[in-house]
Amino acid sequence: MNIREINPSDTRAFTTLLKEVDESSAYMLWEPGERNLDEALYLKIIKEMNTIDQSTIFVAELQNELIGYLLAIGGNAKRNRHSAYLVIGIKENYRGKGIGTQLLKNVEIWARNNQMTRLELTVVTKNEVALTLYKKHGFEIEGTKRNSLYISGHHYDEYYMGKLL
């Protein structure tokens, strides 16, 4: 498996990956079919993120197939430029195989190289697998966003988690 920063040539495979993750993940923000997966839009996003030191997209690749991603969205103001918000998605058949760990290790190296001192994310409180992963990598619960998501007729809380580098 190879973890690397995304390239514009990955656009089609990346939008396919987003679609597959949305369709198989119970706790992602976007419901299946809800996200705008226009390739031209994502090509623009990828190109922009490749020019900004505070933001990036890492992909996990296995045998020329994208199987996971990690978005790191950095602050764009002087006061929060030291921080990045993370979003992770992994194809269903590859979950629990260490891909999340590798993505988090790579983003931490990237963050330190870009003088960032904080990583943050949100996770549904019922998502024990993701919660265990984040805690294992030093993320701490900083608060609870009550009723922050409405999924399949039920409200769910999210933990706001952070890690200081």
Side-chain angles (χ1 to χ4, degrees), residues 5-164:
E5 288 187 85
I6 199 166
N7 296 311
S9 63
D10 295 315
T11 302
R12 175 167 285 151
F14 183 63
T15 56
T16 299
L17 174 62
L18 290 171
K19 180 179 186 282
E20 290 179 22
V21 170
D22 288 349
E23 289 173 350
S24 66
S25 298
Y27 298 120
M28 296 300 280
L29 176 62
W30 299 102
E31 292 185 7
E34 183 181 15
R35 186 192 306 254
N36 177 2
L37 293 172
D38 179 67
E39 286 183 33
L41 171 66
Y42 277 91
L43 177 61
K44 180 180 177 187
I45 290 168
I46 291 166
K47 286 181 176 179
E48 286 177 7
M49 289 185 85
N50 284 346
T51 65
I52 301 170
D53 288 341
Q54 286 78 24
S55 296
T56 193
I57 302 171
F58 281 97
V59 291
E61 182 179 44
L62 183 64
Q63 299 174 349
N64 296 317
E65 176 187 7
L66 297 186
I67 58 172
Y69 66 87
L70 186 151
L71 279 76
I73 304 162
N76 56 9
K78 286 181 182 180
R79 293 182 178 186
N80 71 349
R81 198 165 283 159
H82 67 283
S83 180
Y85 180 83
L86 308 181
V87 177
I88 297 177
I90 299 168
K91 279 188 176 185
E92 187 173 26
N93 293 343
Y94 296 96
R95 295 179 193 146
K97 300 182 189 285
I99 296 165
T101 290
Q102 293 304 314
L103 287 166
L104 287 169
K105 285 180 179 178
N106 276 266
V107 79
E108 187 171 329
I109 293 166
W110 167 85
R112 290 179 190 279
N113 287 340
N114 285 284
Q115 293 72 50
M116 301 184 108
T117 59
R118 177 181 170 80
L119 299 174
E120 57 191 38
L121 53 85
T122 56
V123 60
V124 173
T125 59
K126 302 280 187 196
N127 191 346
E128 293 293 332
V129 173
L131 194 54
T132 299
L133 173 70
Y134 301 142
K135 286 180 177 181
K136 174 181 155 188
H137 288 279
F139 285 82
E140 297 178 7
I141 296 170
E142 297 179 337
T144 302
K145 294 171 63 177
R146 297 179 304 153
N147 286 355
S148 64
L149 296 178
Y150 188 73
I151 304 170
S152 300
H154 298 93
H155 286 99
Y156 287 85
D157 295 346
E158 287 181 291
Y159 288 131
Y160 205 87
M161 299 184 79
K163 177 177 183 175
L164 301 181

